[in-house]
Amino acid sequence: MTRSGQPTLREADIRPDKLLERYLELCRQDAARYFPEHGRDDVPCPACGKDDPVRAFSKDGFAFSVCRACGTLYQTPRPGSDVFVRFYRDAQSSAYWAGTFFPAVAEARRTKLFAPKAARVSALCAESGFNPETVVEAGAGFGIFLDEWRKLHPQTRTVAVEPQPDMARRCEALGIETFQGFVEDAPLRGEADMVVAMEVIEHVREPLAFCQSLAELLRPGGRVLVTGLCIDGFDLRVLGERSRAICPPQHINFPSVAGYEKLFERAGFEDVAVFTPGVLDVDIVRSALRADPCILNGQPFLEELMRKDDATLGAFQRYLSDNRLSSHCWVWAARSGTRGGDAQ
Ligand SMILES: [Zn+2]
């Protein structure tokens, strides 16, 4: 158990090696099948909007750059929207995620991930003096977060927005009001008190449009919680392109803390709070070291650090989480009274 009394989370609990490797293999096959090299456009930073990239690396046929203005890592030149729609609808990696990977870890995720998340979001609401009556989840997956939320707040109207048909059916089977489709098309304009989108933003081709769509579901003053990957975090900074989280075409956006702040301000939010409650950075680097003991060669301080005992590494992980240095990031923000513009 952790100091907060929640069950200890390990990467293998939610991403078992065998399943993850198979999923990544399918991602690589899909990348070659669905994403031709032609027809890609240079895009500005999807977080801050500035067009000042420095080339970082290529992985599995996709080039990545870092924004000099805000430090966000992002995939560019980027394939067109139609290619992504076809990919998410038809790709074998997406089908494997929905049909094999997620079902295998669903209950572990319920206990170790979604129930603690629901409790933490509930605490955030309480701290903000906020009592949402309608909660919408964009990219609801199997509906487990909303199911856990209802246990804490049985009076809430919960709505799942989920484009993948099998997963949308799972949400319906739980008795959750469900819209099968993309958030841009959800018929809930201004109805939601709170919109949640977990681990979606790293996937979307146009993060600004996605965040604006979340804002449009909210009443003025309603709140959004978005979780995603953050390039300022320890495991992403240490592992770089070797990180298994950098898996195009699934994951293409890795905003920095500053990038997240700018993105949500541009999308029409205020009171934007960015924090990184992630707990897996050290475990992820440790797993990478087990797979390749040479991965930290040339970085003696990190090699020494990763040999420390569990208590020391646990304290280090808490330091990362408390100081916006974990790669798992949360953004908590309020929709502005008047719609924000796309200011640079
Ligand atoms: Zn930027």
Side-chain angles (χ1 to χ4, degrees), residues 47-234:
C48 78
K50 294 270 176 16
D51 193 10
D52 189 10
V54 56
R55 185 68 175 267
F57 54 82
S58 280
K59 188 169 183 181
D60 300 333
F62 292 85
F64 283 83
S65 290
V66 172
C67 170
R68 281 196 184 90
C70 77
T72 289
L73 174 73
Y74 64 102
Q75 193 280 314
T76 186
R78 200 164 271 208
S81 307
D82 52 332
V83 185
F84 278 99
V85 168
R86 200 160 69 87
F87 167 65
Y88 280 112
R89 192 187 58 211
D90 302 337
Q92 52 182 355
S93 57
S94 301
Y96 181 78
W97 175 266
T100 303
F101 191 125
F102 200 91
V105 293
E107 285 315 305
R109 285 185 173 227
R110 176 187 289 277
T111 310
K112 297 196 171 190
L113 218 55
F114 290 112
K117 274 185 177 177
R120 183 140 194 179
V121 179
S122 189
L124 264 180
C125 291
E127 283 165 23
S128 305
F130 180 61
N131 183 24
E133 292 173 7
T134 298
V135 176
V136 177
E137 184 174 12
F142 282 33
I144 301 175
F145 172 80
L146 289 176
D147 198 36
E148 290 297 320
W149 183 267
R150 288 189 306 193
K151 290 179 187 169
L152 299 174
H153 304 278
Q155 77 288 0
T156 312
R157 177 191 175 201
T158 51
V159 185
V161 177
E162 173 53 56
Q164 212 277 341
D166 293 336
M167 295 206 276
R169 276 194 286 275
R170 293 273 194 149
C171 294
E172 276 171 347
L174 288 172
I176 296 169
E177 188 180 333
T178 301
F179 171 74
Q180 191 210 314
F182 290 100
V183 67
E184 293 83 348
D185 305 317
L188 295 156
R189 298 279 170 262
E191 286 183 41
D193 299 305
M194 181 166 77
V195 174
V196 176
M198 294 181 168
E199 279 68 69
V200 179
I201 197 154
E202 51 267 46
H203 294 262
V204 302
R205 188 184 184 279
E206 291 168 33
L208 177 63
F210 175 73
C211 291
Q212 287 169 333
S213 297
L214 300 182
E216 283 166 9
L217 300 187
L218 287 166
R219 63 167 172 78
R223 287 187 167 265
V224 72
L225 176 78
V226 167
T227 73
L229 293 161
C230 178
I231 194 60
D232 293 342
F234 180 72

Side-chain angles (χ1 to χ4, degrees), residues 21 73 118 123 136 141 163 182 190 209 212 261 281 296 309 339:
E21 287 302 329
L73 174 73
V136 177
F182 290 100
Q212 287 169 333
E261 288 169 344
D281 304 71
L296 297 179
D309 59 34
R339 170 70 184 278

